[in-house]
Each structure stands twice: as C-alpha cells, then as structure tokens.
C-alpha cells in the first residue's frame, strides 16, 4: 500500500548523498555558512541555584566565532550530570532560553542518563526577514542575498553545529557517537538540516516538522511549499520560491533531507492531530528515504495510527496522540529510540 502511495507521488529518485546535499542546499535551504576561522568559549558555572536538586548544574557557555575577521557571540546552556563521563546527549534547538521549558523537561532527561545542551534560536538571528542582525550581520552585505544564500533555517542549523564543536572540545565528557540534535516544528526542520550537513551527529530528531522538514510536499493535504514560501520566505534560500504551486518541478522532495542523514540514525515524530504538518506525509517520507540506509525503515504496510512506534530500523517513526507540541511523551520516545541503538 505504501509503495502505491509513493508511486502516485512521482518522487525524484534517491541519488548519492553528495548530490542530494547539493540539491537541497542549492534549491531549498541555501548553502551552510562557513565554519568559523576561530572559536572561543567563556563558561559561567551553575547559573541556576540548586538546579535539578544538585544532580546536574546548569552552565552557560558563550560561544564566540570569528568569520571573515568579525566576531559573533551567542549563549548555550549545558546541563551535565555531576561526576559522569562519556554521556549521551541532546543538542536541543529551542524557541525560548528558559531551562527547563515546556518543550524541554530537563530533569527527566537528566534522570534518563543524558546530558543536555540547549540553545535559543533567536540568539542566533531573528525569526523574520531581517538579514542584518546576529550571525546574519556577518554573512550578508547589507542584508542582500543570492539565490542560494542560506535562509534562516541554515543559519540556526549552523549554530547547533557550533554547540557540537564545544561538546567535542571537552574531550570525554560527552560521547559524540551518542549525540543527537533535535527540535520542534521549524526547529525540527532545522535539526534535520543540521544533521544532514554534519556527519558528527549520530542521531537527529524532528518533532512535528512538517512542510519543508520531514513531510513530503507532493501529495500533501497540510501545509504546501506555496503556503510556507508565502508566509516564511526568510527560512529558505530564494531559489525555493520558484516552486510555490510548482512542486512537480522540484528536483527533490523531503525524503532527500532524511536520506542525507544516512548511514546515521534519524527519528521522525508526528502528532495525531497535527494535520498542518501532515503525519502521513512525514511517514511516507521515511518509507521513501529508507533505501539510503543500511537498516532502512521497518514498518507495516499501512499509514500510521496513534501510538505507532517503529524503532527497528535506522529510521524511526513515532506518532503521539494530540496537538502540535514537543511534550514529555515525545522526549520519552526519543530517549528510548537513542537507548535502543
Ligand atoms: C507554522 C509553519 C510551520 C512551522 C510552524 C512552527 O505553522 O507554517 O511550517 O513548522 O509554524 O514552527 O511552529
């Protein structure tokens, strides 16, 4: 059944990873900003009194990157269980700087044996058409963009990669082979892109990322490329704009984004009542991306239903009951997926 649904969608065939990444950067997200010439870290320890009852202090790290001879700084939070080494960990791109946050049950994550690094996306650059603030101020001359210059998703994804640089700089505190970048909605799209373009991430998790994230565009009954391009053009490169109401001519679809994470692991999470993100299209993208992975996507031959959890392949999928939200049930399933591998 899923094969027939994919045939109806007339998807572009999978290509080698390098070609897929080129198409994605050229046609939808823009090319990732360059790596910094120099990076420095300033650490403020234990910024929240009695955090997690003393099990794990919350530190703030200011990352200062030099690009084109100019500096850009942004903060991240790190919560590291005291006295532990080689920790599996999440880099969570979040909407807000608060720790914990309604999308981030920090203590529960710590109690499951993980460390947690979080960043607030607006500390990197604003979520609007202004390409002159934050990191964008160093990348664009007077805010001017070329057709394949990075959109905001690529700029935020770059920051998650810098948080990973910091984790690596600490030696054996973190286990990089158990690193996972994650986010919800627009930041789920960002997490997939961060992992697609940086092979150091062992896992990626997209929660309800939908259009231009995990969901196939061809055949959607939710948000379309035209909808998203109209409302959020600044998330993408300008080359994407020509595909509004013209999906059939896209030389890619969103299974390319998932496939470009191979041979590593990726979990896609949907919410049963999130029709805008279109769970069935997120699931079908997993099916279409599966051949790029050694252990693909192990699933029944039907569309997903509430509380489906498919963890046997390199691609995992889970559908939670309810609305568009990154809740503790999503985190619990995410943590089980990482532990199961
Ligand atoms: C809007 C947008 C989605 C996006 C979401 C979010 O609904 O249309 O594509 O995922 O915002 O980031 O919350």
């Amino acid at each position: 059944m899923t094969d027939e649904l994919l045939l109806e969608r007339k998807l572009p065939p999978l290509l080698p990873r390098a070609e897929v990444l080129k198409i994605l950067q050229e046609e939808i997200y823009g090319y990732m900003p360059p790596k910094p010439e120099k990076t420095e870290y300033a650490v403020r320890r234990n910024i929240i009194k009695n955090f997690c009852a003393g099990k794990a202090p919350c530190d703030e790290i200011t990352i200062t990157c030099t690009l084109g001879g100019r500096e850009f700084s942004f903060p991240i939070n790190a919560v590291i269980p005291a006295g532990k080494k080689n920790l599996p960990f999440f880099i969570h791109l979040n909407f807000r700087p608060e720790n914990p946050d309604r999308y981030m049950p920090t203590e529960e994550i710590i109690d499951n044996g993980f460390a947690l690094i979080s960043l607030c996306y607006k500390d990197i650059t604003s979520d609007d058409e202004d390409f002159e603030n934050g990191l964008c101020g160093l990348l664009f001359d007077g805010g001017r963009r070329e057709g394949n210059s990075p959109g905001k998703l690529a700029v935020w994804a770059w920051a998650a990669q810098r948080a990973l640089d910091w984790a690596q700089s600490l030696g054996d505190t973190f286990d990089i082979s158990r690193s996972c970048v994650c986010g919800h909605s627009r930041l789920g799209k960002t997490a997939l892109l961060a992992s697609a373009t940086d092979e150091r991430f062992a896992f990626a998790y997209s929660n309800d990322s939908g259009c231009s994230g995990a969901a196939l565009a061809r055949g959607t009954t939710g948000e379309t490329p035209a909808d998203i391009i109209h409302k959020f053009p600044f998330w993408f490169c300008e080359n994407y704009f020509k595909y509004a109401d013209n999906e059939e001519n896209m030389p890619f679809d969103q299974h390319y984004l998932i496939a470009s994470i191979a041979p590593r692991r990726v979990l896609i999470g949907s919410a049963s009542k999130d029709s805008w993100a279109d769970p069935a299209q997120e699931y079908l993208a997993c099916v279409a991306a599966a051949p790029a992975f050694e252990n693909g996507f192990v699933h029944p031959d039907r569309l997903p239903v509430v509380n489906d959890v498919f963890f046997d392949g390199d691609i995992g999928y889970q559908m939670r009951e309810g609305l568009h939200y990154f809740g503790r049930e999503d985190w619990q399933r995410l943590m089980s997926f990482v532990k199961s591998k």
Side-chain angles (χ1 to χ4, degrees):
M1 177 217 189
T2 52
D3 285 347
E4 284 89 74
L5 290 171
L6 287 183
L7 277 176
E8 279 169 21
R9 282 160 177 72
K10 300 197 176 66
L11 300 177
L14 290 174
L15 299 168
R17 178 166 180 266
E19 288 172 54
V20 166
L21 277 177
K22 183 162 183 282
I23 292 172
L24 291 173
Q25 292 184 98
E26 187 65 37
E27 302 288 342
I28 169 164
Y29 304 108
Y31 284 89
M32 292 296 290
K35 291 197 182 122
E37 291 126 39
K38 195 175 103 189
T39 309
E40 282 173 328
Y41 307 113
V43 185
R44 273 205 312 137
R45 298 223 180 268
N46 215 358
I47 60 166
I48 306 170
K49 194 163 179 264
N50 294 354
F51 197 68
C52 287
K55 285 178 285 196
C58 179
D59 297 336
E60 183 186 81
I61 299 91
T62 302
I63 302 183
T64 300
C65 299
T66 306
L67 278 143
R70 293 160 68 203
E71 287 188 350
F72 167 68
S73 297
F74 66 101
I76 62 173
N77 271 196
V79 183
I80 306 173
K84 302 265 173 62
K85 295 273 177 221
N86 292 312
L87 289 155
F89 66 105
F90 296 102
I91 293 184
H92 179 211
L93 288 143
N94 202 2
F95 287 84
R96 295 160 295 272
E98 281 77 34
N99 199 344
D101 173 72
R102 62 181 180 276
Y103 286 173
M104 191 170 70
T106 304
E107 189 172 358
E108 189 170 346
I109 295 166
I110 296 302
D111 287 346
N112 272 278
F114 292 87
L116 175 65
I117 298 173
S118 58
L119 53 150
C120 174
Y121 77 137
K122 286 188 182 159
D123 285 331
I124 317 307
T125 185
S126 61
D127 189 358
D128 58 20
E129 63 295 327
D130 179 351
F131 276 85
E132 291 186 88
N133 71 85
L135 177 64
C136 288
L138 273 59
L139 299 175
F140 303 101
D141 180 19
R144 272 182 295 280
R145 298 206 289 154
E146 310 287 330
N148 59 13
S149 301
K152 297 269 170 134
L153 300 182
V155 175
W156 297 324
W158 178 95
Q161 297 170 351
R162 303 293 70 79
L164 184 59
D165 293 344
W166 173 75
Q168 265 190 320
S169 78
L170 292 195
D172 62 359
T173 301
F174 298 101
D175 179 357
I176 305 298
S177 74
R178 318 285 297 159
S179 55
C180 176
V181 59
C182 60
H184 169 64
S185 209
R186 69 200 66 183
L187 298 175
K189 310 182 212 290
T190 305
L192 292 176
L193 180 61
S195 167
T197 55
D198 191 331
E199 291 176 274
R200 294 174 300 166
F201 286 111
F203 293 84
Y205 177 58
S206 132
N207 194 73
D208 308 350
S209 64
C211 179
S212 314
L216 293 175
R218 289 170 175 84
T220 187
T221 53
E223 184 176 25
T224 64
D227 292 326
I228 207 167
I229 289 164
H230 179 68
K231 206 155 167 219
F232 304 103
F234 42 88
W235 287 353
F236 307 99
C237 72
E238 295 185 353
N239 284 344
Y240 191 33
F241 302 174
K242 60 179 176 289
Y243 300 116
D245 293 320
N246 183 28
E247 292 87 335
E248 62 281 6
N249 285 316
M250 296 193 314
F252 63 93
D253 208 312
Q254 295 310 122
H255 60 313
Y256 275 30
L257 183 59
I258 297 174
S260 62
I261 297 172
R264 294 161 294 140
R265 268 70 182 248
V266 52
L267 176 64
I268 304 299
S270 306
S272 63
K273 294 185 179 138
D274 190 2
S275 55
W276 189 236
D278 203 335
Q281 291 287 105
E282 297 192 312
Y283 178 87
L284 287 172
C286 297
V287 181
F293 294 78
E294 200 185 323
N295 296 312
F297 179 41
V298 181
H299 63 94
D301 192 23
R302 58 162 172 80
L303 288 176
V305 295
V306 176
N307 287 327
D308 271 345
V309 173
F310 304 129
F311 282 0
D312 289 342
D314 293 327
I315 304 177
Y317 177 88
Q318 67 97 359
M319 188 195 275
R320 174 198 28 84
E321 161 85 51
L323 301 169
H324 190 71
Y325 191 80
F326 193 1
R328 60 184 294 278
E329 275 183 85
D330 299 306
W331 275 101
Q332 283 171 342
R333 289 177 180 172
L334 167 56
M335 292 189 286
S336 313
F337 180 71
V338 174
K339 285 182 187 174
S340 74
K341 299 293 166 191

PDB file of all heavy atoms in Angstrom, residues 277-295:
ATOM      1  N   ALA A 277       1.060  19.716   9.765  1.00  0.00           N
ATOM      2  CA  ALA A 277       2.359  19.066   9.499  1.00  0.00           C
ATOM      3  C   ALA A 277       2.198  17.765   8.701  1.00  0.00           C
ATOM      4  O   ALA A 277       3.169  17.238   8.178  1.00  0.00           O
ATOM      5  CB  ALA A 277       3.096  18.793  10.806  1.00  0.00           C
ATOM      6  N   ASP A 278       0.985  17.250   8.620  1.00  0.00           N
ATOM      7  CA  ASP A 278       0.638  16.087   7.807  1.00  0.00           C
ATOM      8  C   ASP A 278       1.426  14.809   8.152  1.00  0.00           C
ATOM      9  O   ASP A 278       2.362  14.422   7.439  1.00  0.00           O
ATOM     10  CB  ASP A 278       0.793  16.409   6.313  1.00  0.00           C
ATOM     11  CG  ASP A 278      -0.056  15.472   5.442  1.00  0.00           C
ATOM     12  OD1 ASP A 278      -0.357  14.351   5.893  1.00  0.00           O
ATOM     13  OD2 ASP A 278      -0.397  15.863   4.318  1.00  0.00           O
ATOM     14  N   PRO A 279       1.033  14.155   9.261  1.00  0.00           N
ATOM     15  CA  PRO A 279       1.741  12.946   9.702  1.00  0.00           C
ATOM     16  C   PRO A 279       1.910  11.877   8.611  1.00  0.00           C
ATOM     17  O   PRO A 279       2.980  11.252   8.528  1.00  0.00           O
ATOM     18  CB  PRO A 279       0.855  12.420  10.838  1.00  0.00           C
ATOM     19  CG  PRO A 279       0.193  13.633  11.390  1.00  0.00           C
ATOM     20  CD  PRO A 279      -0.033  14.553  10.214  1.00  0.00           C
ATOM     21  N   ALA A 280       0.896  11.656   7.793  1.00  0.00           N
ATOM     22  CA  ALA A 280       1.018  10.598   6.775  1.00  0.00           C
ATOM     23  C   ALA A 280       2.156  10.924   5.807  1.00  0.00           C
ATOM     24  O   ALA A 280       2.912  10.033   5.384  1.00  0.00           O
ATOM     25  CB  ALA A 280      -0.302  10.444   6.010  1.00  0.00           C
ATOM     26  N   GLN A 281       2.307  12.201   5.489  1.00  0.00           N
ATOM     27  CA  GLN A 281       3.377  12.600   4.561  1.00  0.00           C
ATOM     28  C   GLN A 281       4.755  12.500   5.230  1.00  0.00           C
ATOM     29  O   GLN A 281       5.755  12.246   4.556  1.00  0.00           O
ATOM     30  CB  GLN A 281       3.148  14.035   4.080  1.00  0.00           C
ATOM     31  CG  GLN A 281       1.946  14.199   3.174  1.00  0.00           C
ATOM     32  CD  GLN A 281       2.185  13.622   1.788  1.00  0.00           C
ATOM     33  OE1 GLN A 281       1.668  12.547   1.443  1.00  0.00           O
ATOM     34  NE2 GLN A 281       2.957  14.307   0.973  1.00  0.00           N
ATOM     35  N   GLU A 282       4.806  12.679   6.545  1.00  0.00           N
ATOM     36  CA  GLU A 282       6.080  12.514   7.266  1.00  0.00           C
ATOM     37  C   GLU A 282       6.477  11.035   7.247  1.00  0.00           C
ATOM     38  O   GLU A 282       7.636  10.685   7.046  1.00  0.00           O
ATOM     39  CB  GLU A 282       5.949  13.020   8.710  1.00  0.00           C
ATOM     40  CG  GLU A 282       5.659  14.512   8.789  1.00  0.00           C
ATOM     41  CD  GLU A 282       5.818  15.107  10.190  1.00  0.00           C
ATOM     42  OE1 GLU A 282       5.283  14.530  11.149  1.00  0.00           O
ATOM     43  OE2 GLU A 282       6.457  16.151  10.317  1.00  0.00           O
ATOM     44  N   TYR A 283       5.485  10.205   7.451  1.00  0.00           N
ATOM     45  CA  TYR A 283       5.714   8.755   7.460  1.00  0.00           C
ATOM     46  C   TYR A 283       6.144   8.261   6.067  1.00  0.00           C
ATOM     47  O   TYR A 283       7.098   7.485   5.930  1.00  0.00           O
ATOM     48  CB  TYR A 283       4.413   8.104   7.905  1.00  0.00           C
ATOM     49  CG  TYR A 283       4.372   6.602   7.946  1.00  0.00           C
ATOM     50  CD1 TYR A 283       4.789   5.904   9.065  1.00  0.00           C
ATOM     51  CD2 TYR A 283       3.848   5.882   6.866  1.00  0.00           C
ATOM     52  CE1 TYR A 283       4.700   4.525   9.117  1.00  0.00           C
ATOM     53  CE2 TYR A 283       3.760   4.504   6.909  1.00  0.00           C
ATOM     54  CZ  TYR A 283       4.190   3.829   8.042  1.00  0.00           C
ATOM     55  OH  TYR A 283       4.093   2.467   8.090  1.00  0.00           O
ATOM     56  N   LEU A 284       5.449   8.742   5.046  1.00  0.00           N
ATOM     57  CA  LEU A 284       5.788   8.301   3.680  1.00  0.00           C
ATOM     58  C   LEU A 284       7.192   8.775   3.273  1.00  0.00           C
ATOM     59  O   LEU A 284       7.880   8.098   2.509  1.00  0.00           O
ATOM     60  CB  LEU A 284       4.738   8.797   2.678  1.00  0.00           C
ATOM     61  CG  LEU A 284       3.393   8.063   2.758  1.00  0.00           C
ATOM     62  CD1 LEU A 284       2.350   8.747   1.873  1.00  0.00           C
ATOM     63  CD2 LEU A 284       3.544   6.587   2.341  1.00  0.00           C
ATOM     64  N   ALA A 285       7.611   9.913   3.816  1.00  0.00           N
ATOM     65  CA  ALA A 285       8.983  10.370   3.531  1.00  0.00           C
ATOM     66  C   ALA A 285       9.995   9.385   4.121  1.00  0.00           C
ATOM     67  O   ALA A 285      11.037   9.118   3.509  1.00  0.00           O
ATOM     68  CB  ALA A 285       9.202  11.770   4.103  1.00  0.00           C
ATOM     69  N   CYS A 286       9.660   8.817   5.290  1.00  0.00           N
ATOM     70  CA  CYS A 286      10.547   7.797   5.891  1.00  0.00           C
ATOM     71  C   CYS A 286      10.615   6.574   4.978  1.00  0.00           C
ATOM     72  O   CYS A 286      11.698   6.015   4.744  1.00  0.00           O
ATOM     73  CB  CYS A 286      10.034   7.369   7.263  1.00  0.00           C
ATOM     74  SG  CYS A 286       9.991   8.673   8.490  1.00  0.00           S
ATOM     75  N   VAL A 287       9.464   6.156   4.467  1.00  0.00           N
ATOM     76  CA  VAL A 287       9.430   4.987   3.574  1.00  0.00           C
ATOM     77  C   VAL A 287      10.291   5.264   2.334  1.00  0.00           C
ATOM     78  O   VAL A 287      11.094   4.429   1.917  1.00  0.00           O
ATOM     79  CB  VAL A 287       7.976   4.652   3.159  1.00  0.00           C
ATOM     80  CG1 VAL A 287       7.955   3.419   2.246  1.00  0.00           C
ATOM     81  CG2 VAL A 287       7.079   4.433   4.380  1.00  0.00           C
ATOM     82  N   ALA A 288      10.147   6.471   1.782  1.00  0.00           N
ATOM     83  CA  ALA A 288      10.867   6.800   0.536  1.00  0.00           C
ATOM     84  C   ALA A 288      12.368   6.955   0.764  1.00  0.00           C
ATOM     85  O   ALA A 288      13.165   6.713  -0.141  1.00  0.00           O
ATOM     86  CB  ALA A 288      10.288   8.082  -0.064  1.00  0.00           C
ATOM     87  N   ALA A 289      12.758   7.364   1.983  1.00  0.00           N
ATOM     88  CA  ALA A 289      14.188   7.578   2.273  1.00  0.00           C
ATOM     89  C   ALA A 289      14.890   6.270   2.647  1.00  0.00           C
ATOM     90  O   ALA A 289      16.124   6.182   2.588  1.00  0.00           O
ATOM     91  CB  ALA A 289      14.341   8.586   3.415  1.00  0.00           C
ATOM     92  N   ALA A 290      14.130   5.249   3.029  1.00  0.00           N
ATOM     93  CA  ALA A 290      14.692   4.022   3.604  1.00  0.00           C
ATOM     94  C   ALA A 290      15.830   3.391   2.789  1.00  0.00           C
ATOM     95  O   ALA A 290      16.834   2.958   3.387  1.00  0.00           O
ATOM     96  CB  ALA A 290      13.576   3.009   3.842  1.00  0.00           C
ATOM     97  N   PRO A 291      15.735   3.322   1.444  1.00  0.00           N
ATOM     98  CA  PRO A 291      16.812   2.652   0.706  1.00  0.00           C
ATOM     99  C   PRO A 291      18.191   3.276   0.884  1.00  0.00           C
ATOM    100  O   PRO A 291      19.202   2.638   0.607  1.00  0.00           O
ATOM    101  CB  PRO A 291      16.355   2.763  -0.759  1.00  0.00           C
ATOM    102  CG  PRO A 291      14.875   2.949  -0.690  1.00  0.00           C
ATOM    103  CD  PRO A 291      14.624   3.724   0.569  1.00  0.00           C
ATOM    104  N   ALA A 292      18.253   4.515   1.374  1.00  0.00           N
ATOM    105  CA  ALA A 292      19.560   5.160   1.567  1.00  0.00           C
ATOM    106  C   ALA A 292      20.285   4.608   2.804  1.00  0.00           C
ATOM    107  O   ALA A 292      21.477   4.847   2.981  1.00  0.00           O
ATOM    108  CB  ALA A 292      19.379   6.671   1.714  1.00  0.00           C
ATOM    109  N   PHE A 293      19.571   3.881   3.669  1.00  0.00           N
ATOM    110  CA  PHE A 293      20.128   3.411   4.943  1.00  0.00           C
ATOM    111  C   PHE A 293      20.371   1.910   4.898  1.00  0.00           C
ATOM    112  O   PHE A 293      19.684   1.181   4.181  1.00  0.00           O
ATOM    113  CB  PHE A 293      19.147   3.686   6.087  1.00  0.00           C
ATOM    114  CG  PHE A 293      18.930   5.151   6.365  1.00  0.00           C
ATOM    115  CD1 PHE A 293      18.095   5.907   5.549  1.00  0.00           C
ATOM    116  CD2 PHE A 293      19.554   5.771   7.437  1.00  0.00           C
ATOM    117  CE1 PHE A 293      17.884   7.259   5.805  1.00  0.00           C
ATOM    118  CE2 PHE A 293      19.351   7.116   7.698  1.00  0.00           C
ATOM    119  CZ  PHE A 293      18.506   7.866   6.876  1.00  0.00           C
ATOM    120  N   GLU A 294      21.312   1.469   5.741  1.00  0.00           N
ATOM    121  CA  GLU A 294      21.593   0.037   5.792  1.00  0.00           C
ATOM    122  C   GLU A 294      20.367  -0.716   6.325  1.00  0.00           C
ATOM    123  O   GLU A 294      19.932  -1.705   5.761  1.00  0.00           O
ATOM    124  CB  GLU A 294      22.785  -0.191   6.712  1.00  0.00           C
ATOM    125  CG  GLU A 294      23.444  -1.531   6.468  1.00  0.00           C
ATOM    126  CD  GLU A 294      24.550  -1.768   7.475  1.00  0.00           C
ATOM    127  OE1 GLU A 294      25.260  -0.806   7.829  1.00  0.00           O
ATOM    128  OE2 GLU A 294      24.682  -2.936   7.906  1.00  0.00           O
ATOM    129  N   ASN A 295      19.812  -0.211   7.435  1.00  0.00           N
ATOM    130  CA  ASN A 295      18.656  -0.894   8.040  1.00  0.00           C
ATOM    131  C   ASN A 295      17.355  -0.133   7.861  1.00  0.00           C
ATOM    132  O   ASN A 295      16.412  -0.324   8.634  1.00  0.00           O
ATOM    133  CB  ASN A 295      18.906  -1.144   9.533  1.00  0.00           C
ATOM    134  CG  ASN A 295      20.076  -2.079   9.724  1.00  0.00           C
ATOM    135  OD1 ASN A 295      20.150  -3.117   9.068  1.00  0.00           O
ATOM    136  ND2 ASN A 295      21.011  -1.680  10.553  1.00  0.00           N
TER     137      ASN A 295
END
